[in-house]
Amino acid sequence: MVKLILCIIIIFCGAVSGLHLSRRLTKRRDVLSGFEMMFHRALIRIEYNAGDLCEVFSDNFAGYVFTHDKPFEDQWDYLIKSCSPSLTKEDIALLNDFLNHLGTADSESQRQHIVMYSRLIQERIDSAKEDIQTKSKMYRVIPLSASIVISLLMI
């Protein structure tokens, strides 16, 4: 009886871990889509002279409000770090690189900069969608299969 309960727990843990790994892929796509929408809103606000960087980027998917009492770069890093568990190293590097030329030129240059990074983020979103299609099922099946094998060996 104890072995049966232990086997059920092992199978349950394998299924949950597979779902967690699979969910990380969709979370990555969702976070990148949120950054793309934030860039799009920032682009609109810059075109209509809505204010400084803190005001332009405060309307974002994470609900993070940029304040004027701290440097924008530090706040941007904090926003990226809060989203980093679901992003890859390349995604984080791209988002950190976005800040390099932001706020240093005229509005037309800023608009072009944001459009370029929006397109780069869109490429990362497409990559995330491809990962979901190719890896999601594998991430769900392998841990479940391993837990079933372990359970069978225990019996």
Side-chain angles (χ1 to χ4, degrees):
M1 182 68 172
V2 174
K3 284 186 179 181
L4 179 64
I5 293 172
L6 188 59
C7 290
I8 291 172
I9 291 172
I10 290 172
I11 291 172
F12 178 75
C13 289
V16 168
S17 65
L19 290 174
H20 172 71
L21 292 172
S22 176
R23 176 69 183 127
R24 283 184 63 197
L25 293 174
T26 57
K27 180 74 173 163
R28 176 179 172 234
R29 180 201 58 205
D30 295 343
V31 168
L32 289 172
S33 296
F35 273 106
E36 183 190 28
M37 288 177 12
M38 183 174 66
F39 290 169
H40 180 69
R41 284 188 200 114
L43 181 64
I44 292 170
R45 288 183 178 187
I46 286 175
E47 286 179 354
Y48 292 105
N49 296 327
D52 63 355
L53 291 176
C54 292
E55 295 169 5
V56 167
F57 286 101
S58 283
D59 183 21
N60 57 54
F61 67 99
Y64 185 82
V65 178
F66 292 95
T67 60
H68 295 286
D69 58 344
K70 295 180 186 174
F72 182 78
E73 293 83 11
D74 296 341
Q75 296 178 70
W76 183 259
D77 287 339
Y78 180 78
L79 175 64
I80 292 173
K81 285 179 184 174
S82 68
C83 299
S84 67
S86 56
L87 298 175
T88 64
K89 291 178 183 178
E90 294 84 15
D91 299 336
I92 294 170
L94 178 68
L95 292 171
N96 283 329
D97 194 40
F98 170 73
L99 196 60
N100 285 346
H101 300 290
L102 193 62
T104 59
D106 62 342
S107 63
E108 181 61 29
S109 298
Q110 297 305 305
R111 191 184 74 71
Q112 292 174 353
H113 178 76
I114 292 173
V115 167
M116 179 183 74
Y117 275 91
S118 293
R119 290 182 182 150
L120 292 173
I121 288 287
Q122 184 58 47
E123 290 175 6
R124 302 302 304 160
I125 292 170
D126 294 340
S127 169
K129 287 178 183 178
E130 185 178 309
D131 285 347
I132 290 171
Q133 289 178 344
T134 59
K135 296 178 182 176
S136 181
K137 189 173 182 179
M138 177 188 66
Y139 281 167
R140 288 189 306 258
V141 170
I142 289 178
L144 182 62
S145 300
S147 64
I148 290 172
V149 168
I150 292 170
S151 296
L152 288 174
L153 291 174
M154 285 181 60
I155 295 176

